[in-house]
Amino acid sequence: GAPNVSTATAVREQHGHDESMHPCAPPDVVVWPQAVGQVQELAALCHRCRVPMVPFGTGTGLEGGVNAVQGGVCFDLSRMDTIAELSLEDFSVTVEPGVTRKALNKHLRGTGLWFPVGTVGVRGV
């Protein structure tokens, strides 16, 4: 519905670029799924209709990966921000794709762990 879908120019432009030097290439629509099932349904619909899909996290990338050069649907994953499981014993955490490094480190505060920039081995739910 309306709070989870936008075709507003300003919203589309915000989601059509990152921190790279590439010019803005906005998607046709921005959606905010809030569960894995919604992502699956949206992806299946886009696939059936041959519409490009562009994932969007925070827009801080340096590669132009969020630029929708062929239009399509931008999946803004920021509302999928649950930290599902933390295992202090094996230093692992399972998160949804909208969890930011800052939010994760806030969650880890007091455990003696932290998630630095450039960490490899990232795996979401």
Side-chain angles (χ1 to χ4, degrees):
N4 300 314
V5 178
S6 180
T7 57
T9 301
V11 173
R12 292 173 40 244
E13 287 178 355
Q14 174 192 359
H15 288 79
H17 66 89
D18 54 16
E19 299 295 323
S20 71
M21 63 172 190
H22 302 290
C24 182
D28 299 311
V29 62
V30 178
V31 296
W32 287 267
Q34 296 173 40
V36 172
Q38 290 175 337
V39 173
Q40 292 169 329
E41 288 179 40
L42 289 164
L45 178 62
C46 288
H47 177 73
R48 273 194 313 273
C49 297
R50 302 187 54 79
V51 174
M53 298 172 270
V54 181
F56 187 92
T58 58
T60 58
L62 301 174
E63 304 83 16
V66 300
N67 292 47
V69 294
Q70 296 180 342
V73 178
C74 174
F75 289 53
D76 184 324
L77 304 170
S78 63
R79 295 182 187 168
M80 294 180 66
D81 60 355
T82 299
I83 298 172
E85 184 180 347
L86 171 62
S87 175
L88 298 175
E89 297 77 32
D90 63 4
F91 305 108
S92 68
V93 62
T94 304
V95 301
E96 289 183 335
V99 174
T100 63
R101 182 182 52 83
K102 191 176 198 177
L104 179 56
N105 282 329
K106 182 177 179 182
H107 183 81
L108 294 173
R109 190 175 296 140
T111 67
L113 301 175
W114 67 291
F115 190 81
V117 175
T119 302
V120 295
V122 176
R123 183 185 67 143
V125 289

